[in-house]
Amino acid sequence: MNAPTLRPGETMPVRRHGPVTRGDIVRFAGAGGDFNPLHYDDDAARAAGFDGVIAMGQYQAGLLAAAVSDWVGAENVASFRVRFARPVRVGDVVVLRGSVVSVERGLATIHLEAVVGESAVLTGSATVHTAAD
Amino acid sequence: MSHDAPAVGMLLDEVVLDIEPGKIREFARATGALDPAHTAAESARGLAAPLATLTHSVAVGHLRDQQKFVEALGLDIRRVVVGEVAWHYARPLLAGDRLRASRRVIADEERDGSSGAMRLVTLETELVDESGAIAATVREVLIERRGGK
């Protein structure tokens, strides 16, 4: 799509995924090639101190990336970064939010987060090429 | 430092990533990306081929030898988490792109955090296309908690 017109304060359409299933995590493993047993084997996950399998961080990063790119078009994204705060477990409902914090020299900065309940599982940002007003 | 740290700048691994339309579809479905540009042969937006999702480069996981790179870095995988990842795009990645993914160590630091000593290893992967241009870079920070020895 043509570069979007973005203004400070504008918000990304909120998106919800879940409850996350083991199948969702395995599907992402197939796409990305991360076959660490933490992500499919409850015993392995418990041995590592979790209640059961957890998603790979790249799963929730991918969900957040998709929410951004469906909004502004992946071809307009200059950068995308995420910081992993805590794991996503089977049964979690992941809510994805974002808002434009600044626009300078044709580049909008969007603050992003993925939350489960009240807790951030992921924080991040994207920079996006914008159209002139 | 107790580990045999590889020199900063050292090439850690190198693989060739072919961006395939089927793999783009797998990522789109797995992450809920609904934009038809990921599946259309040619989109109305002037893209000549299906558009890769933003984190498509994760697919190098199929090609890399994870055991070997952990050993090369002298990391204890049981204590390692990925702290952050950042992608920079020089251009959109499209089906048909053949990208050489070269991963290097760009920083290796010890730090005292609130939960004890940590080793932070920053890796950078350059995705270089067949014309020799950098199409994208991916930077990841690995955190190894030191804990007790």
Side-chain angles (χ1 to χ4, degrees):
Chain A
M1 63 187 80
N2 293 329
T5 304
L6 296 171
R7 293 185 182 80
E10 201 165 334
T11 55
M12 180 173 83
V14 174
R15 207 174 253 199
R16 278 179 182 75
H17 283 275
V20 173
T21 67
R22 190 179 301 252
D24 294 332
I25 297 170
V26 169
R27 181 182 289 284
F28 187 84
D34 181 347
F35 296 104
N36 185 324
L38 281 182
H39 309 310
Y40 60 81
D41 180 344
D42 282 326
D43 290 339
R46 286 193 200 102
F50 300 102
D51 297 336
V53 298
I54 57 166
M56 52 294 276
Q58 289 289 7
Y59 170 69
Q60 48 268 28
L63 298 181
L64 192 56
V68 174
S69 62
D70 280 352
W71 183 35
V72 301
E75 72 273 33
N76 297 312
V77 177
S79 70
F80 174 69
R81 69 173 63 226
V82 291
R83 177 171 289 196
F84 301 102
R86 51 195 299 171
V88 168
R89 296 162 302 180
V90 170
D92 283 348
V93 175
V94 183
V95 178
L96 310 165
R97 296 192 285 242
S99 61
V100 179
V101 290
S102 65
V103 182
E104 278 175 51
R105 292 188 297 276
L107 212 54
T109 299
I110 302 170
H111 274 194
L112 298 164
E113 64 175 358
V115 302
V116 171
E118 299 294 309
S119 304
V121 292
L122 199 60
T123 57
S125 63
T127 56
V128 177
H129 297 290
T130 58
D133 275 331
Chain B
M1 291 200 288
S2 57
H3 57 87
D4 291 325
V8 167
M10 186 193 87
L11 181 67
L12 209 50
D13 48 30
E14 190 168 61
V15 295
V16 173
L17 177 68
D18 281 311
I19 309 272
E20 301 161 345
K23 182 57 72 180
I24 294 176
R25 209 171 298 127
E26 286 178 33
F27 268 98
R29 180 146 184 223
T31 62
L34 304 174
D35 185 347
H38 299 307
T39 48
E42 200 174 311
S43 83
R45 282 139 54 185
L47 300 163
L51 175 63
T53 57
L54 290 175
T55 66
H56 190 101
S57 66
V58 169
V60 294
H62 282 290
L63 307 168
R64 283 174 172 159
D65 183 340
Q66 299 295 358
Q67 192 67 38
K68 192 176 141 208
F69 110 81
V70 166
E71 281 168 17
L73 288 173
L75 290 169
D76 176 356
I77 193 65
R78 294 163 301 176
R79 295 169 187 257
V80 174
V81 294
V82 180
E84 50 186 279
V85 185
W87 288 260
H88 285 86
Y89 311 95
R91 64 166 177 85
L93 305 186
L94 301 173
D97 274 327
R98 167 164 282 194
L99 304 170
R100 182 167 296 277
S102 307
R103 183 159 59 164
R104 292 175 192 281
V105 180
I106 59 165
D108 189 351
E109 305 161 326
E110 300 282 336
R111 200 174 287 175
D112 282 317
S114 53
S115 54
M118 303 182 295
R119 179 181 168 200
L120 301 180
V121 181
T122 306
L123 307 177
E124 186 177 85
T125 302
E126 285 184 343
L127 298 161
V128 176
D129 67 21
E130 289 185 293
S131 78
I134 296 175
T137 60
V138 188
R139 208 171 262 215
E140 49 196 324
V141 180
L142 307 181
I143 302 169
E144 184 188 45
R145 286 159 294 154
R146 287 303 199 186
K149 269 281 158 190

